[in-house]
Amino acid sequence: QVQLVESGGGSVQAGGSLRLSCTASQYTYRNNWMAWFRQPPGKEREGVATIYTGGTWSFYADSVKGRFAISQDNAENTLYLQMNNLKPEDTAMYYCAARSPGTGGQWNSTGTYTYWGQGTQVTVSS
């Protein structure tokens, strides 16, 4: 059974930084697309960033470009999201997501992903 386990969330002041981690188990980690999504209170889940674990391709939501960086460690089957210059509007539950191998779809569509973590809360105060 595929498991995605996030960690690294917390509470920070605006301008601060956090690094989220997502460790995958029982998943064909290499050569697949993984992503970070977030869901602010009362809003829909939205794509934050995605990365191809077999190469260097990555994409970001406009709202986080230049502030967030997605990366991964193949040896550890772990996905990261480095978040810098955090803003109050970044407050959300952050989720790790993974596609079934070989599936397509828009990177920022929740329907593209089969596997989800339980989420980790990020709260940014002004």
Side-chain angles (χ1 to χ4, degrees):
Q1 183 177 352
V2 173
Q3 280 195 318
L4 303 176
V5 180
E6 302 101 333
S7 62
S11 297
V12 295
Q13 289 192 325
S17 299
L18 284 172
R19 189 175 82 153
L20 307 183
S21 300
C22 169
T23 301
S25 59
Q26 304 300 318
Y27 177 67
T28 305
Y29 185 88
R30 288 181 180 271
N31 301 324
N32 278 306
W33 288 91
M34 296 187 71
W36 287 99
F37 280 73
R38 67 185 182 185
Q39 188 164 15
K43 296 185 179 180
E44 292 187 353
R45 198 169 296 189
E46 62 183 12
V48 175
T50 188
I51 190 168
Y52 181 63
T53 61
T56 59
W57 296 288
S58 61
F59 300 97
Y60 295 88
D62 288 343
S63 59
V64 306
K65 281 180 183 176
R67 300 188 298 121
F68 290 12
I70 191 170
S71 62
Q72 49 94 15
D73 183 337
N74 276 326
E76 298 294 329
N77 282 9
T78 300
L79 182 72
Y80 300 101
L81 184 69
Q82 177 66 43
M83 305 185 295
N84 298 324
N85 190 21
L86 282 160
K87 303 176 180 180
E89 52 263 43
D90 295 319
T91 294
M93 185 71 80
Y94 282 71
Y95 297 91
C96 174
R99 301 191 193 195
S100 291
T103 59
Q106 275 191 292
W107 78 263
N108 56 352
S109 172
T110 56
T112 297
Y113 300 86
T114 303
Y115 308 107
W116 293 85
Q118 82 288 351
T120 186
Q121 178 68 37
V122 172
T123 302
V124 185
S125 58
S126 57

